[in-house]
């Protein structure tokens, strides 16, 4: 099956960034940030996103350690990906998200600065777009085939 539209998730215990990517353009963009309670999102909000965007797949970022080994959060991120698959029957992929939050903070500064704290003005959706863009760049062969 060709992948035309993909949602990307930057999983976190308090916030989950969401991005959308399209195979036609090969580009990802930030969409929104979902609140989470100890890593559990409001599944009704997730369902609304899935129904609205009708993605062919989802990509969940894996927070690997800098040396490439799995971090403690990797297990939780993979569990989140499996839950997306189980609840919404959408194929999932994972992607290394090292340094995306750091890069997202730099991008926010480049756009005109950070207003307030990152808690009040999160960069999670930007990080989701960066990880999804990385996945799109590495997996062009899965798109539009």
């Amino acid at each position: 099956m060709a992948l035309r539209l993909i949602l990307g998730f930057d999983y976190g215990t308090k916030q989950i960034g969401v991005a959308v990517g399209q195979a036609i353009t090969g580009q990802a963009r930030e969409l929104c940030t979902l609140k989470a309670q100890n890593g559990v999102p409001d599944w009704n909000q997730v369902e609304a996103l899935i129904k609205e965007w009708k993605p062919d797949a989802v990509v969940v970022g894996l927070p690997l350690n800098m040396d490439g080994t799995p971090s403690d959060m990797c297990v939780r991120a993979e569990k989140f990906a499996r839950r997306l698959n189980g609840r919404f029957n959408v194929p999932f992929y994972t992607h290394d998200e090292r340094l995306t939050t750091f890069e997202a903070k730099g991008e926010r500064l480049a756009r005109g600065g950070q207003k307030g704290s990152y808690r009040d003005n999160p960069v999670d959706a930007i990080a989701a777009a960066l990880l999804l863009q990385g996945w799109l760049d590495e997996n062009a062969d899965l798109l539009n085939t």
Side-chain angles (χ1 to χ4, degrees):
M1 176 180 85
L3 302 179
R4 295 176 303 279
L5 190 120
I6 302 101
L7 288 181
F9 292 88
D10 178 37
Y11 176 81
T13 58
K14 295 181 183 175
Q15 299 178 134
I16 300 169
V18 185
V20 61
Q22 298 180 357
I24 291 173
T25 63
Q27 299 293 306
R29 68 174 176 85
E30 59 197 82
L31 196 57
C32 64
T33 299
L34 304 173
K35 296 288 183 195
Q37 293 273 16
N38 195 25
V40 180
D42 177 339
W43 286 107
N44 292 326
Q45 288 181 325
V46 177
E47 182 177 15
L49 286 170
I50 298 291
K51 284 183 177 180
E52 178 181 353
W53 290 95
K54 298 175 182 56
D56 298 305
V58 296
V59 175
V60 176
L62 281 183
L64 298 171
N65 293 315
M66 290 309 293
D67 65 0
T69 60
S71 71
D72 294 339
M73 281 295 290
C74 279
V75 172
R76 294 184 78 171
E78 288 176 325
K79 184 177 180 181
F80 174 72
R82 287 191 306 275
R83 284 193 173 159
L84 287 170
N85 173 260
R87 284 177 180 259
F88 307 111
N89 195 31
V90 60
F92 74 90
Y93 299 90
T94 57
H95 185 72
D96 178 359
E97 69 167 36
R98 282 178 285 183
L99 297 178
T100 55
T101 299
F102 178 78
E103 188 177 344
K105 288 178 180 178
E107 188 169 313
R108 171 68 57 80
L109 288 173
R111 289 183 188 178
Q114 174 65 21
K115 309 291 189 263
S117 71
Y118 288 110
R119 181 178 304 183
D120 297 332
N121 197 2
V123 295
D124 303 272
I126 297 170
L130 291 169
L131 78 87
L132 182 53
Q133 186 64 58
W135 185 88
L136 288 167
D137 293 346
E138 290 181 15
N139 292 281
D141 58 319
L142 294 176
L143 309 174
N144 286 325
T145 56

